[in-house]
Amino acid sequence: MNQQSSPTQREHYFYVAIAKFLFYHPEHGVISVADPIKLKDAEQYALSPLILYGLSVAGVPIRWMTYTPADKPRAFRDVLTEAWRDAKGLRGKPNILWINRHLAKASPDLKQKLGKMDVELKIVDAKNKSLAASLRSAQDSSKWLLATHSSTDKSPSESIKALCMDAQRDHDYSVMDGNRGTRSGKEKEMVQQWMSLSAQKPITSAPCELDWELGPWLSSWESSVPPNLPRYIYHGGFKHGGFKQRPCLLIGENVLEDVAEDIFLDDQYCDNVAEIAKNLIACWPNPPVQIAKSIGTTLKRLQWFTSKEAALDPAVRAALEDLLSITYDERIGNYSEDGPYVLIAQKPLALKNAYESISDGGDASPCEIVPQNGAADPSWRYILLNTYGKPPSIVMSPPWCNNYRSTSRSVCEL
């Protein structure tokens, strides 16, 4: 299949999985989880899993989602009929519905049932990453659904019903004229072209019995989730864009509610420590395993942190910030490198990012350090970064590595 398919082909991706960032709590209703947690660990906080069902338009940035409790799954045919009937952005039923091999195995009769609706069912092959990408995007967007339809009734049925209404609202907003200012002109044009198609509404039928079998594949994302860390539920919610976000399960020890929001917002919007650390560690003279050991953690946990997959224990994180000389800059509202540093030119992109960050945009007047008399060290070239308001830093590069030549031809004599 051509991943850049014309919208007139009417192709949808259908995916089903245990929600990665949303759970149900008997007291607080639906809550979001900032950092993924294994289902077994979630039980410690009285959290029950939800099933995410999603449809994405092939080649067009339009998606629809709905949810059910994991112990009350819905028939695929019912979910698809509802989506094609109520989600105006899908333009009704497609000509082709793409699913993965897990869904095909879980519901062997689905192909025949969809055939009666004039929808051809196809299974994506290993080379087609579009369906998997659609599922990841749906999972990530779930935790940002705003609780615009929340109510005082926290019963499972009402709380999850409100969540589904919020997901429907998010879908409706995605196809409004002039929406999504972050979209490119090309994406907006694609949406407009797709929305100009007539809707192919399915024939409404009576609800059917469950037509698929649940399995471990629903929570395959658990394999990449780090071991559990202490967490607490902040159930006050946060204001965002005039709306209230759902209660959250946050990593760390319980804190006073009047400072919880500040911590959450700092973690979500101002916390760039993981990105800074990732670039510095890639250029650090010591290998990552030694860095991890020196701050009292394992290499795997350090990698999870720099990949933004899990937080570090507060004491370990403080040790990492101290080792890498990372401090919070109130002037700019996030973290920055204080230095001084001696970095090794090993990964071009990491060095480029570190250089631009250390020099606040790349204005560091770099120059090569050479001896005033005698031959230069044949093993290394030394580049001096003259950062402003901070101690200078040095980048060491092998002489054969042309990628790291100084952008300045000036010479700094020893």
Side-chain angles (χ1 to χ4, degrees), residues 12 68 102 171 232 324 379 406:
H12 291 171
T68 66
H102 298 296
H171 168 79
Y232 67 97
L324 301 182
S379 303
S406 167

Side-chain angles (χ1 to χ4, degrees), residues 146 239-243:
L146 302 175
K239 295 291 184 179
H240 180 72
F243 298 108

Side-chain angles (χ1 to χ4, degrees), residues 34 37 40 46 49 76 118 121 168 175 192 224 227 239 250 277 292-293 296 303 318 331:
I37 185 172
K40 185 176 181 180
F76 285 168
D118 294 324
L121 187 69
Q168 179 67 48
V175 296
Q192 292 173 357
S224 61
K239 295 291 184 179
L250 305 179
K293 185 177 180 179
Q303 291 172 335
R331 177 178 56 87

Side-chain angles (χ1 to χ4, degrees), residues 137-396:
S137 177
Q139 291 277 29
D140 291 341
S141 67
S142 293
K143 61 182 176 180
W144 301 115
L145 288 176
L146 302 175
T148 57
H149 295 94
S150 60
S151 65
T152 55
D153 186 350
K154 297 301 182 181
S155 64
S157 59
E158 289 302 315
S159 183
I160 296 173
K161 179 181 177 181
L163 171 64
C164 293
M165 293 173 65
D166 291 331
Q168 179 67 48
R169 175 188 176 277
D170 185 71
H171 168 79
D172 294 339
Y173 178 68
S174 73
V175 296
M176 288 171 54
D177 292 337
N179 75 92
R180 302 302 198 203
T182 58
R183 282 182 178 164
S184 65
K186 183 178 180 181
E187 288 178 327
K188 291 180 180 179
E189 183 180 349
M190 292 165 60
V191 172
Q192 292 173 357
Q193 181 183 359
W194 173 263
M195 292 301 295
S196 68
L197 301 176
S198 59
Q200 299 182 150
K201 294 294 182 69
I203 298 176
T204 303
S205 58
C208 64
E209 296 181 355
L210 190 65
D211 55 2
W212 62 288
E213 293 185 3
L214 288 72
W217 55 271
L218 283 167
S219 57
S220 59
W221 50 263
E222 282 190 289
S223 61
S224 61
V225 174
N228 195 25
L229 292 171
R231 303 178 190 238
Y232 67 97
I233 295 178
Y234 174 66
H235 54 82
F238 308 120
K239 295 291 184 179
H240 180 72
F243 298 108
K244 188 178 182 181
Q245 289 184 313
R246 289 182 164 76
C248 303
L249 184 70
L250 305 179
I251 287 179
E253 300 296 335
N254 203 349
V255 295
L256 295 176
E257 300 234 341
D258 59 352
V259 299
E261 180 169 354
D262 292 337
I263 293 177
F264 175 83
L265 293 176
D266 181 65
D267 286 344
Q268 295 296 320
Y269 303 107
C270 305
D271 192 350
N272 54 335
V273 170
E275 181 180 355
I276 292 175
K278 182 177 182 179
N279 291 323
L280 289 176
I281 290 172
C283 306
W284 207 253
N286 304 97
V289 66
Q290 289 187 6
I291 295 176
K293 185 177 180 179
S294 69
I295 62 175
T297 190
T298 64
L299 176 60
K300 194 64 177 179
R301 287 186 180 273
L302 179 60
Q303 291 172 335
W304 278 330
F305 174 72
T306 57
S307 299
K308 300 181 180 180
E309 296 179 8
L312 283 174
D313 178 85
V316 174
R317 172 174 162 145
L320 178 65
E321 292 176 7
D322 184 60
L323 174 68
L324 301 182
S325 190
I326 301 174
T327 59
Y328 185 77
D329 190 336
E330 295 183 355
R331 177 178 56 87
I332 58 178
N334 58 16
Y335 292 83
S336 64
E337 304 90 328
D338 262 2
Y341 299 106
V342 175
L343 304 179
I344 307 295
Q346 301 179 94
K347 296 183 178 180
L349 182 58
L351 180 61
K352 175 179 177 293
N353 292 337
Y355 165 72
E356 292 180 349
S357 185
I358 291 170
S359 59
D360 294 329
D363 185 14
S365 301
C367 59
E368 184 171 359
I369 303 174
V370 297
Q372 183 174 10
N373 299 304
D377 182 352
S379 303
W380 296 95
R381 298 177 64 193
Y382 301 89
I383 310 301
L384 181 69
L385 307 183
N386 295 292
T387 54
Y388 299 99
K390 297 179 181 178
S393 294
I394 294 175
V395 174
M396 297 174 58

